[in-house]
Amino acid sequence: MCGIVGYIGPRPAAGLLIEGLKRLEYRGYDSSGIAVVNGDGLKIFKAAGKLTQLEQLLDGRLPHGTIGIGHTRWATHGAPNTPNAHPHTDQSGRIACIHNGIIENAGAIRTALKQRGHTFKSETDTEVLAHLVGEFYQGNLEEAVAMALGDVDGAYGLAFVCSDEPNVLVAARKGSPLLVGVGEGEWFVASDASPLLQYTRSVVYLDDGEMAVLTRDGYRIRNLQKARISKPVSQIEWDLATIERGGYDHFMLKEIFEQAESVENTLRGHLLEDEGTARVTGLNMTDDELKQVQRIVITACGTSWHSALIGEYMLEEMARIPVEVEYASEFRYRNPVVDERTLVIGISQSGETADTLAAIREAKHRGARTIGLVNVVGSTIAREVDGGIYLHAGPEVGVASTKAFTSQVAALALVTLRLARLRNLSILQGRQFIQALKLIPAQIQQILGRAHEVKAIADRFVHHNNALYLGRGVNFPVALEGALKLKEISYIHAEGYPAAEMKHGPIALIDENMPVVFIAPRDAVYQKILSNIEEVKARRGQVIALVNECDGQVDRLADVCFEIPETLDLLTPLLTVVPLQLFSYYVAVRRGCNVDQPRNLAKSVTVE
Ligand code: AGP
């Protein structure tokens, strides 16, 4: 999720763009840049790292010019370095482009352009698009952009300027948000309203397939076929902080609600339904090498360790490979049995967790093949493993991890599918798994649409100071994750347990003051967990049950029932975790806790 800002009007553009990018840094940044058009042509400045690196590069010598574009990058294709930073230019160097999104057919276009003599300076899909526009350019930027976008698949929010046309800024949207800011004799484009508020609150939201053409006399909206489109001008009512949270009260809630999209982004481009398998070329392992894997160790911390446990169930059930899950902080100091036949998977949202990094280094030292399931592109873990899958969940700002967890589980499903199909999973079983995976984003969305029901449940339990989360099989790790969410943001003591384990001790805790959350989808152990609910009810415990159907059996037992859609047993965690994330959020808000930055916690634990 990158930040985009563009300007045309009477003011000096460079300073305005830099200030605008500062407002967009929350969207994630690992590099930034600006392009300004003036009498000397196109001036581009870009730098890896935080926006201050770009400011240092400029060192107060801002290029003059009253039209320009600026970008903060959250890398998806290509490492977060200066060559990959936006803006990118076409072959001639006269057209500059900034982009938020993913061009899915960039590889094919790059190959074709190379065959026509184009040379590229970066690994990005955006540069390919700039070159394509340049190839269509015959003196009309607007038309060149429209023609190029006709050849492009994928999602984009784009802006272009051209040194030959210093009075035109062209923008386009498909799948990534983009709006036009309408000022007094000046006009803007941006990914959201945050960089515009100090100039105007009047905006025009672009819809997919629409282009905006900004000149010094005004703006017009059109589609790729040149048809003019009339759009209403809206007034932004939000303050800056609210805009950064996308209108949600907290980043955590925003990120919970992003999960239908983030899981889809994790899966995007990986599912090969015809073959019933997953494309995981990023692992940098041939199928023969994957077939050689005799043992897997998954190492991580916190929430990522919980997703690792789910990976164990998936891999052992489908790929029949022995898996051990290790706390990274333990693994790094043990004398683990790891060798070249061991595949070590490191899971980390930040890619900077010190214990996980140390565990991976120890595994490499012992000859193991290492792969990473990481969200932050170019992070230390991502650079040190032998291969991996990026989560593409977008920046996760809330300290309590939510969308990264579901994306980690989705990524583990991809690795599992590839390995299983190289062993004894049939093509039909693979296709069934893929079809179930494809339904998950919509099913998550269905649950999110009933968040108000979860809020009502949370209101009933907000005053308790303890809670027990119980699950069986692949939902035991979900019980752990649900408990972690509650304790880390509401400071309520909560424990997760295998449901059957309750009678070996925790049942002593059960009384009318102990809420017990049961994760009870209609899977292979459903009847067993119903018995566990009976045991809790017999001791006056208060039961919240996550079920596929609030049937007569469960209704009679549970104090509260919440229905979740059905899916394959192994994929249920992608759904059962969502109500638990919402439950912990609403309880914490009711308790007045700092949801996005809970006490004592850091987003990334980069120290031991
Ligand atoms: C999860 O809500 C916590 N913020 C924490 O447990 C986190 O999952 C853990 O520190 C691992 O972080 P990582 O995924 O960035 O490695």
Side-chain angles (χ1 to χ4, degrees), residues 300-306 347-354 356 373 381 396 398-402 404 408 481 484-485 488-489 601-605:
C301 301
T303 284
S304 300
W305 185 78
H306 296 152
I347 302 179
S348 177
Q349 188 286 132
S350 63
E352 300 299 345
T353 300
T356 309
L373 306 184
I381 291 173
E396 187 175 71
V399 166
S401 190
T402 51
Q408 287 163 358
E481 176 59 13
L484 174 63
K485 287 284 97 47
E488 70 175 329
I489 65 172
L601 286 178
K603 181 57 186 170
S604 176
V605 183

PDB file of all heavy atoms in Angstrom, residues 300-306 347-354 356 373 381 396 398-402 404 408 481 484-485 488-489 601-605, ligand 1:
ATOM      1  N   ALA A 300       9.146 -19.264  15.152  1.00  0.00           N
ATOM      2  CA  ALA A 300       8.539 -17.927  15.164  1.00  0.00           C
ATOM      3  C   ALA A 300       8.311 -17.503  16.611  1.00  0.00           C
ATOM      4  O   ALA A 300       8.685 -18.223  17.537  1.00  0.00           O
ATOM      5  CB  ALA A 300       7.215 -17.946  14.392  1.00  0.00           C
ATOM      6  N   CYS A 301       7.662 -16.359  16.766  1.00  0.00           N
ATOM      7  CA  CYS A 301       7.322 -15.834  18.105  1.00  0.00           C
ATOM      8  C   CYS A 301       5.867 -15.368  18.091  1.00  0.00           C
ATOM      9  O   CYS A 301       5.338 -15.010  17.047  1.00  0.00           O
ATOM     10  CB  CYS A 301       8.209 -14.652  18.462  1.00  0.00           C
ATOM     11  SG  CYS A 301       9.962 -15.027  18.460  1.00  0.00           S
ATOM     12  N   GLY A 302       5.267 -15.357  19.256  1.00  0.00           N
ATOM     13  CA  GLY A 302       3.958 -14.737  19.440  1.00  0.00           C
ATOM     14  C   GLY A 302       2.896 -15.238  18.485  1.00  0.00           C
ATOM     15  O   GLY A 302       2.751 -16.438  18.257  1.00  0.00           O
ATOM     16  N   THR A 303       2.201 -14.281  17.894  1.00  0.00           N
ATOM     17  CA  THR A 303       1.124 -14.635  16.962  1.00  0.00           C
ATOM     18  C   THR A 303       1.653 -15.475  15.824  1.00  0.00           C
ATOM     19  O   THR A 303       1.014 -16.409  15.345  1.00  0.00           O
ATOM     20  CB  THR A 303       0.468 -13.355  16.442  1.00  0.00           C
ATOM     21  OG1 THR A 303      -0.378 -12.827  17.470  1.00  0.00           O
ATOM     22  CG2 THR A 303      -0.364 -13.598  15.204  1.00  0.00           C
ATOM     23  N   SER A 304       2.867 -15.163  15.370  1.00  0.00           N
ATOM     24  CA  SER A 304       3.451 -15.920  14.255  1.00  0.00           C
ATOM     25  C   SER A 304       3.705 -17.360  14.658  1.00  0.00           C
ATOM     26  O   SER A 304       3.655 -18.276  13.823  1.00  0.00           O
ATOM     27  CB  SER A 304       4.740 -15.239  13.787  1.00  0.00           C
ATOM     28  OG  SER A 304       4.432 -13.918  13.360  1.00  0.00           O
ATOM     29  N   TRP A 305       3.972 -17.575  15.942  1.00  0.00           N
ATOM     30  CA  TRP A 305       4.160 -18.955  16.433  1.00  0.00           C
ATOM     31  C   TRP A 305       2.818 -19.684  16.398  1.00  0.00           C
ATOM     32  O   TRP A 305       2.745 -20.866  16.095  1.00  0.00           O
ATOM     33  CB  TRP A 305       4.714 -18.910  17.857  1.00  0.00           C
ATOM     34  CG  TRP A 305       5.062 -20.231  18.460  1.00  0.00           C
ATOM     35  CD1 TRP A 305       6.168 -21.005  18.235  1.00  0.00           C
ATOM     36  CD2 TRP A 305       4.267 -20.945  19.416  1.00  0.00           C
ATOM     37  NE1 TRP A 305       6.111 -22.154  18.989  1.00  0.00           N
ATOM     38  CE2 TRP A 305       4.961 -22.144  19.723  1.00  0.00           C
ATOM     39  CE3 TRP A 305       3.033 -20.696  20.048  1.00  0.00           C
ATOM     40  CZ2 TRP A 305       4.463 -23.087  20.643  1.00  0.00           C
ATOM     41  CZ3 TRP A 305       2.548 -21.626  20.963  1.00  0.00           C
ATOM     42  CH2 TRP A 305       3.265 -22.810  21.245  1.00  0.00           C
ATOM     43  N   HIS A 306       1.744 -18.970  16.621  1.00  0.00           N
ATOM     44  CA  HIS A 306       0.414 -19.599  16.552  1.00  0.00           C
ATOM     45  C   HIS A 306       0.094 -20.019  15.118  1.00  0.00           C
ATOM     46  O   HIS A 306      -0.425 -21.108  14.869  1.00  0.00           O
ATOM     47  CB  HIS A 306      -0.660 -18.648  17.077  1.00  0.00           C
ATOM     48  CG  HIS A 306      -0.501 -18.320  18.529  1.00  0.00           C
ATOM     49  ND1 HIS A 306      -0.937 -17.131  19.070  1.00  0.00           N
ATOM     50  CD2 HIS A 306       0.069 -19.011  19.555  1.00  0.00           C
ATOM     51  CE1 HIS A 306      -0.671 -17.108  20.369  1.00  0.00           C
ATOM     52  NE2 HIS A 306      -0.047 -18.242  20.692  1.00  0.00           N
ATOM     53  N   ILE A 347       8.615 -17.606  10.368  1.00  0.00           N
ATOM     54  CA  ILE A 347       7.420 -16.791  10.114  1.00  0.00           C
ATOM     55  C   ILE A 347       7.543 -15.496  10.904  1.00  0.00           C
ATOM     56  O   ILE A 347       7.791 -15.507  12.118  1.00  0.00           O
ATOM     57  CB  ILE A 347       6.134 -17.527  10.535  1.00  0.00           C
ATOM     58  CG1 ILE A 347       6.001 -18.865   9.794  1.00  0.00           C
ATOM     59  CG2 ILE A 347       4.909 -16.658  10.266  1.00  0.00           C
ATOM     60  CD1 ILE A 347       4.764 -19.667  10.187  1.00  0.00           C
ATOM     61  N   SER A 348       7.377 -14.375  10.210  1.00  0.00           N
ATOM     62  CA  SER A 348       7.506 -13.087  10.896  1.00  0.00           C
ATOM     63  C   SER A 348       6.817 -11.980  10.104  1.00  0.00           C
ATOM     64  O   SER A 348       7.108 -11.793   8.924  1.00  0.00           O
ATOM     65  CB  SER A 348       8.986 -12.724  11.060  1.00  0.00           C
ATOM     66  OG  SER A 348       9.113 -11.446  11.659  1.00  0.00           O
ATOM     67  N   GLN A 349       5.926 -11.263  10.725  1.00  0.00           N
ATOM     68  CA  GLN A 349       5.273 -10.121  10.078  1.00  0.00           C
ATOM     69  C   GLN A 349       6.304  -9.058   9.773  1.00  0.00           C
ATOM     70  O   GLN A 349       6.433  -8.641   8.636  1.00  0.00           O
ATOM     71  CB  GLN A 349       4.191  -9.548  10.997  1.00  0.00           C
ATOM     72  CG  GLN A 349       3.314  -8.484  10.395  1.00  0.00           C
ATOM     73  CD  GLN A 349       3.984  -7.123  10.235  1.00  0.00           C
ATOM     74  OE1 GLN A 349       3.905  -6.515   9.168  1.00  0.00           O
ATOM     75  NE2 GLN A 349       4.673  -6.621  11.252  1.00  0.00           N
ATOM     76  N   SER A 350       7.070  -8.680  10.772  1.00  0.00           N
ATOM     77  CA  SER A 350       8.026  -7.567  10.633  1.00  0.00           C
ATOM     78  C   SER A 350       9.278  -7.970   9.882  1.00  0.00           C
ATOM     79  O   SER A 350       9.957  -7.161   9.264  1.00  0.00           O
ATOM     80  CB  SER A 350       8.427  -7.065  12.019  1.00  0.00           C
ATOM     81  OG  SER A 350       9.092  -8.123  12.728  1.00  0.00           O
ATOM     82  N   GLY A 351       9.645  -9.254   9.993  1.00  0.00           N
ATOM     83  CA  GLY A 351      10.913  -9.685   9.409  1.00  0.00           C
ATOM     84  C   GLY A 351      12.116  -9.181  10.176  1.00  0.00           C
ATOM     85  O   GLY A 351      13.240  -9.238   9.680  1.00  0.00           O
ATOM     86  N   GLU A 352      11.882  -8.678  11.391  1.00  0.00           N
ATOM     87  CA  GLU A 352      12.992  -8.096  12.181  1.00  0.00           C
ATOM     88  C   GLU A 352      13.054  -8.663  13.596  1.00  0.00           C
ATOM     89  O   GLU A 352      13.909  -8.249  14.367  1.00  0.00           O
ATOM     90  CB  GLU A 352      12.813  -6.574  12.266  1.00  0.00           C
ATOM     91  CG  GLU A 352      12.805  -5.851  10.912  1.00  0.00           C
ATOM     92  CD  GLU A 352      14.111  -5.998  10.107  1.00  0.00           C
ATOM     93  OE1 GLU A 352      15.134  -6.419  10.719  1.00  0.00           O
ATOM     94  OE2 GLU A 352      14.095  -5.715   8.908  1.00  0.00           O
ATOM     95  N   THR A 353      12.173  -9.592  13.940  1.00  0.00           N
ATOM     96  CA  THR A 353      12.147 -10.130  15.309  1.00  0.00           C
ATOM     97  C   THR A 353      13.471 -10.814  15.621  1.00  0.00           C
ATOM     98  O   THR A 353      13.860 -11.765  14.925  1.00  0.00           O
ATOM     99  CB  THR A 353      10.975 -11.092  15.474  1.00  0.00           C
ATOM    100  OG1 THR A 353       9.770 -10.365  15.214  1.00  0.00           O
ATOM    101  CG2 THR A 353      10.915 -11.682  16.873  1.00  0.00           C
ATOM    102  N   ALA A 354      14.128 -10.329  16.674  1.00  0.00           N
ATOM    103  CA  ALA A 354      15.502 -10.769  16.949  1.00  0.00           C
ATOM    104  C   ALA A 354      15.582 -12.274  17.174  1.00  0.00           C
ATOM    105  O   ALA A 354      16.453 -12.954  16.602  1.00  0.00           O
ATOM    106  CB  ALA A 354      16.025 -10.015  18.178  1.00  0.00           C
ATOM    107  N   THR A 356      13.602 -14.681  16.158  1.00  0.00           N
ATOM    108  CA  THR A 356      13.333 -15.444  14.936  1.00  0.00           C
ATOM    109  C   THR A 356      14.517 -15.351  13.981  1.00  0.00           C
ATOM    110  O   THR A 356      14.930 -16.337  13.359  1.00  0.00           O
ATOM    111  CB  THR A 356      12.051 -14.924  14.266  1.00  0.00           C
ATOM    112  OG1 THR A 356      10.999 -14.886  15.248  1.00  0.00           O
ATOM    113  CG2 THR A 356      11.627 -15.808  13.098  1.00  0.00           C
ATOM    114  N   LEU A 373       8.246 -16.691   5.695  1.00  0.00           N
ATOM    115  CA  LEU A 373       6.899 -16.170   5.395  1.00  0.00           C
ATOM    116  C   LEU A 373       6.834 -14.822   6.109  1.00  0.00           C
ATOM    117  O   LEU A 373       6.640 -14.754   7.312  1.00  0.00           O
ATOM    118  CB  LEU A 373       5.822 -17.121   5.909  1.00  0.00           C
ATOM    119  CG  LEU A 373       5.931 -18.585   5.451  1.00  0.00           C
ATOM    120  CD1 LEU A 373       4.731 -19.392   5.962  1.00  0.00           C
ATOM    121  CD2 LEU A 373       6.046 -18.690   3.942  1.00  0.00           C
ATOM    122  N   ILE A 381      15.031 -10.662   7.910  1.00  0.00           N
ATOM    123  CA  ILE A 381      14.734 -12.096   7.760  1.00  0.00           C
ATOM    124  C   ILE A 381      14.485 -12.415   6.291  1.00  0.00           C
ATOM    125  O   ILE A 381      14.994 -13.401   5.746  1.00  0.00           O
ATOM    126  CB  ILE A 381      13.534 -12.500   8.640  1.00  0.00           C
ATOM    127  CG1 ILE A 381      13.933 -12.439  10.122  1.00  0.00           C
ATOM    128  CG2 ILE A 381      13.013 -13.891   8.266  1.00  0.00           C
ATOM    129  CD1 ILE A 381      12.803 -12.664  11.097  1.00  0.00           C
ATOM    130  N   GLU A 396       1.109  -3.414   8.659  1.00  0.00           N
ATOM    131  CA  GLU A 396       0.299  -3.700   9.850  1.00  0.00           C
ATOM    132  C   GLU A 396       0.791  -2.765  10.945  1.00  0.00           C
ATOM    133  O   GLU A 396       1.895  -2.920  11.470  1.00  0.00           O
ATOM    134  CB  GLU A 396       0.451  -5.165  10.263  1.00  0.00           C
ATOM    135  CG  GLU A 396      -0.484  -5.564  11.391  1.00  0.00           C
ATOM    136  CD  GLU A 396      -0.413  -7.047  11.727  1.00  0.00           C
ATOM    137  OE1 GLU A 396       0.610  -7.474  12.290  1.00  0.00           O
ATOM    138  OE2 GLU A 396      -1.373  -7.786  11.430  1.00  0.00           O
ATOM    139  N   GLY A 398      -1.178  -1.630  13.819  1.00  0.00           N
ATOM    140  CA  GLY A 398      -1.582  -2.013  15.179  1.00  0.00           C
ATOM    141  C   GLY A 398      -0.593  -3.007  15.756  1.00  0.00           C
ATOM    142  O   GLY A 398      -0.177  -3.939  15.066  1.00  0.00           O
ATOM    143  N   VAL A 399      -0.225  -2.788  17.024  1.00  0.00           N
ATOM    144  CA  VAL A 399       0.775  -3.681  17.645  1.00  0.00           C
ATOM    145  C   VAL A 399       0.239  -5.097  17.713  1.00  0.00           C
ATOM    146  O   VAL A 399       0.952  -6.065  17.484  1.00  0.00           O
ATOM    147  CB  VAL A 399       1.147  -3.171  19.050  1.00  0.00           C
ATOM    148  CG1 VAL A 399       1.902  -4.232  19.833  1.00  0.00           C
ATOM    149  CG2 VAL A 399       1.976  -1.898  18.932  1.00  0.00           C
ATOM    150  N   ALA A 400      -1.027  -5.260  17.972  1.00  0.00           N
ATOM    151  CA  ALA A 400      -1.620  -6.604  18.014  1.00  0.00           C
ATOM    152  C   ALA A 400      -1.797  -7.090  16.587  1.00  0.00           C
ATOM    153  O   ALA A 400      -2.483  -6.472  15.784  1.00  0.00           O
ATOM    154  CB  ALA A 400      -2.966  -6.578  18.727  1.00  0.00           C
ATOM    155  N   SER A 401      -1.156  -8.197  16.281  1.00  0.00           N
ATOM    156  CA  SER A 401      -1.148  -8.690  14.902  1.00  0.00           C
ATOM    157  C   SER A 401      -2.482  -9.355  14.560  1.00  0.00           C
ATOM    158  O   SER A 401      -2.976 -10.193  15.310  1.00  0.00           O
ATOM    159  CB  SER A 401      -0.017  -9.704  14.749  1.00  0.00           C
ATOM    160  OG  SER A 401       0.160 -10.035  13.394  1.00  0.00           O
ATOM    161  N   THR A 402      -3.058  -8.958  13.427  1.00  0.00           N
ATOM    162  CA  THR A 402      -4.349  -9.529  13.023  1.00  0.00           C
ATOM    163  C   THR A 402      -4.274 -10.015  11.570  1.00  0.00           C
ATOM    164  O   THR A 402      -4.220 -11.204  11.317  1.00  0.00           O
ATOM    165  CB  THR A 402      -5.450  -8.456  13.157  1.00  0.00           C
ATOM    166  OG1 THR A 402      -5.014  -7.272  12.470  1.00  0.00           O
ATOM    167  CG2 THR A 402      -5.726  -8.133  14.617  1.00  0.00           C
ATOM    168  N   ALA A 404      -1.870 -10.000   9.548  1.00  0.00           N
ATOM    169  CA  ALA A 404      -0.648 -10.757   9.263  1.00  0.00           C
ATOM    170  C   ALA A 404      -0.866 -12.225   9.612  1.00  0.00           C
ATOM    171  O   ALA A 404      -0.398 -13.120   8.891  1.00  0.00           O
ATOM    172  CB  ALA A 404       0.531 -10.189  10.040  1.00  0.00           C
ATOM    173  N   GLN A 408      -0.440 -15.229   7.122  1.00  0.00           N
ATOM    174  CA  GLN A 408       0.544 -16.283   7.396  1.00  0.00           C
ATOM    175  C   GLN A 408      -0.090 -17.667   7.198  1.00  0.00           C
ATOM    176  O   GLN A 408       0.495 -18.564   6.583  1.00  0.00           O
ATOM    177  CB  GLN A 408       1.077 -16.146   8.819  1.00  0.00           C
ATOM    178  CG  GLN A 408       2.027 -14.972   9.004  1.00  0.00           C
ATOM    179  CD  GLN A 408       2.235 -14.600  10.465  1.00  0.00           C
ATOM    180  OE1 GLN A 408       1.639 -15.187  11.389  1.00  0.00           O
ATOM    181  NE2 GLN A 408       3.069 -13.602  10.702  1.00  0.00           N
ATOM    182  N   GLU A 481      -4.323 -18.018  20.031  1.00  0.00           N
ATOM    183  CA  GLU A 481      -4.282 -16.683  19.410  1.00  0.00           C
ATOM    184  C   GLU A 481      -5.385 -15.791  19.958  1.00  0.00           C
ATOM    185  O   GLU A 481      -5.164 -14.616  20.259  1.00  0.00           O
ATOM    186  CB  GLU A 481      -4.382 -16.808  17.895  1.00  0.00           C
ATOM    187  CG  GLU A 481      -4.455 -15.501  17.128  1.00  0.00           C
ATOM    188  CD  GLU A 481      -3.253 -14.581  17.355  1.00  0.00           C
ATOM    189  OE1 GLU A 481      -2.235 -15.030  17.915  1.00  0.00           O
ATOM    190  OE2 GLU A 481      -3.368 -13.396  16.995  1.00  0.00           O
ATOM    191  N   LEU A 484      -4.290 -14.648  23.307  1.00  0.00           N
ATOM    192  CA  LEU A 484      -3.224 -13.645  23.227  1.00  0.00           C
ATOM    193  C   LEU A 484      -3.807 -12.283  22.858  1.00  0.00           C
ATOM    194  O   LEU A 484      -3.462 -11.259  23.441  1.00  0.00           O
ATOM    195  CB  LEU A 484      -2.171 -14.070  22.199  1.00  0.00           C
ATOM    196  CG  LEU A 484      -1.073 -13.043  21.926  1.00  0.00           C
ATOM    197  CD1 LEU A 484      -0.248 -12.775  23.171  1.00  0.00           C
ATOM    198  CD2 LEU A 484      -0.171 -13.494  20.786  1.00  0.00           C
ATOM    199  N   LYS A 485      -4.706 -12.257  21.876  1.00  0.00           N
ATOM    200  CA  LYS A 485      -5.323 -10.987  21.473  1.00  0.00           C
ATOM    201  C   LYS A 485      -5.982 -10.302  22.670  1.00  0.00           C
ATOM    202  O   LYS A 485      -5.812  -9.119  22.921  1.00  0.00           O
ATOM    203  CB  LYS A 485      -6.364 -11.226  20.375  1.00  0.00           C
ATOM    204  CG  LYS A 485      -5.775 -11.569  19.014  1.00  0.00           C
ATOM    205  CD  LYS A 485      -5.194 -10.401  18.267  1.00  0.00           C
ATOM    206  CE  LYS A 485      -3.742 -10.144  18.336  1.00  0.00           C
ATOM    207  NZ  LYS A 485      -2.756 -11.132  18.156  1.00  0.00           N
ATOM    208  N   GLU A 488      -3.333  -9.130  25.357  1.00  0.00           N
ATOM    209  CA  GLU A 488      -2.346  -8.092  24.997  1.00  0.00           C
ATOM    210  C   GLU A 488      -2.991  -6.729  24.765  1.00  0.00           C
ATOM    211  O   GLU A 488      -2.312  -5.714  24.837  1.00  0.00           O
ATOM    212  CB  GLU A 488      -1.511  -8.508  23.806  1.00  0.00           C
ATOM    213  CG  GLU A 488      -2.197  -8.573  22.483  1.00  0.00           C
ATOM    214  CD  GLU A 488      -1.190  -8.886  21.366  1.00  0.00           C
ATOM    215  OE1 GLU A 488      -0.021  -8.499  21.459  1.00  0.00           O
ATOM    216  OE2 GLU A 488      -1.594  -9.535  20.401  1.00  0.00           O
ATOM    217  N   ILE A 489      -4.291  -6.672  24.515  1.00  0.00           N
ATOM    218  CA  ILE A 489      -4.863  -5.326  24.312  1.00  0.00           C
ATOM    219  C   ILE A 489      -5.866  -4.935  25.391  1.00  0.00           C
ATOM    220  O   ILE A 489      -6.138  -3.745  25.559  1.00  0.00           O
ATOM    221  CB  ILE A 489      -5.505  -5.186  22.916  1.00  0.00           C
ATOM    222  CG1 ILE A 489      -6.714  -6.088  22.741  1.00  0.00           C
ATOM    223  CG2 ILE A 489      -4.501  -5.396  21.820  1.00  0.00           C
ATOM    224  CD1 ILE A 489      -7.461  -5.796  21.440  1.00  0.00           C
ATOM    225  N   LEU A 601       4.157  -3.123  25.144  1.00  0.00           N
ATOM    226  CA  LEU A 601       4.385  -3.894  23.912  1.00  0.00           C
ATOM    227  C   LEU A 601       5.050  -3.038  22.834  1.00  0.00           C
ATOM    228  O   LEU A 601       4.895  -1.822  22.798  1.00  0.00           O
ATOM    229  CB  LEU A 601       3.045  -4.419  23.375  1.00  0.00           C
ATOM    230  CG  LEU A 601       2.414  -5.588  24.140  1.00  0.00           C
ATOM    231  CD1 LEU A 601       1.077  -5.964  23.513  1.00  0.00           C
ATOM    232  CD2 LEU A 601       3.341  -6.797  24.141  1.00  0.00           C
ATOM    233  N   ALA A 602       5.773  -3.714  21.924  1.00  0.00           N
ATOM    234  CA  ALA A 602       6.324  -3.042  20.741  1.00  0.00           C
ATOM    235  C   ALA A 602       5.836  -3.808  19.520  1.00  0.00           C
ATOM    236  O   ALA A 602       5.565  -5.015  19.601  1.00  0.00           O
ATOM    237  CB  ALA A 602       7.852  -3.087  20.774  1.00  0.00           C
ATOM    238  N   LYS A 603       5.751  -3.133  18.409  1.00  0.00           N
ATOM    239  CA  LYS A 603       5.266  -3.797  17.197  1.00  0.00           C
ATOM    240  C   LYS A 603       6.269  -4.832  16.707  1.00  0.00           C
ATOM    241  O   LYS A 603       5.906  -5.873  16.222  1.00  0.00           O
ATOM    242  CB  LYS A 603       4.997  -2.776  16.092  1.00  0.00           C
ATOM    243  CG  LYS A 603       4.454  -3.385  14.803  1.00  0.00           C
ATOM    244  CD  LYS A 603       3.183  -4.167  15.043  1.00  0.00           C
ATOM    245  CE  LYS A 603       2.680  -4.914  13.828  1.00  0.00           C
ATOM    246  NZ  LYS A 603       1.583  -5.842  14.161  1.00  0.00           N
ATOM    247  N   SER A 604       7.525  -4.521  16.861  1.00  0.00           N
ATOM    248  CA  SER A 604       8.519  -5.491  16.421  1.00  0.00           C
ATOM    249  C   SER A 604       9.580  -5.593  17.514  1.00  0.00           C
ATOM    250  O   SER A 604      10.231  -4.611  17.849  1.00  0.00           O
ATOM    251  CB  SER A 604       9.155  -5.043  15.098  1.00  0.00           C
ATOM    252  OG  SER A 604      10.168  -5.959  14.740  1.00  0.00           O
ATOM    253  N   VAL A 605       9.762  -6.809  18.048  1.00  0.00           N
ATOM    254  CA  VAL A 605      10.699  -7.011  19.160  1.00  0.00           C
ATOM    255  C   VAL A 605      12.072  -7.312  18.579  1.00  0.00           C
ATOM    256  O   VAL A 605      12.434  -8.451  18.306  1.00  0.00           O
ATOM    257  CB  VAL A 605      10.203  -8.168  20.047  1.00  0.00           C
ATOM    258  CG1 VAL A 605      11.136  -8.338  21.248  1.00  0.00           C
ATOM    259  CG2 VAL A 605       8.777  -7.905  20.516  1.00  0.00           C
TER     260      VAL A 605
HETATM  261  C1  AGP B   1       1.104 -10.332  18.231  1.00  0.00           C
HETATM  262  O1  AGP B   1      -0.144  -9.683  18.402  1.00  0.00           O
HETATM  263  C2  AGP B   1       2.224  -9.605  18.947  1.00  0.00           C
HETATM  264  N1  AGP B   1       2.300  -8.270  18.511  1.00  0.00           N
HETATM  265  C3  AGP B   1       3.530 -10.375  18.916  1.00  0.00           C
HETATM  266  O2  AGP B   1       3.284 -11.618  19.537  1.00  0.00           O
HETATM  267  C4  AGP B   1       4.132 -10.671  17.535  1.00  0.00           C
HETATM  268  O3  AGP B   1       3.325 -11.617  16.862  1.00  0.00           O
HETATM  269  C5  AGP B   1       5.529 -11.274  17.752  1.00  0.00           C
HETATM  270  O4  AGP B   1       6.324 -10.298  18.369  1.00  0.00           O
HETATM  271  C6  AGP B   1       6.194 -11.718  16.430  1.00  0.00           C
HETATM  272  O5  AGP B   1       6.350 -10.609  15.605  1.00  0.00           O
HETATM  273  P1  AGP B   1       6.755 -10.869  14.067  1.00  0.00           P
HETATM  274  O6  AGP B   1       5.627 -11.631  13.437  1.00  0.00           O
HETATM  275  O7  AGP B   1       6.930  -9.504  13.473  1.00  0.00           O
HETATM  276  O8  AGP B   1       8.028 -11.676  14.051  1.00  0.00           O
END
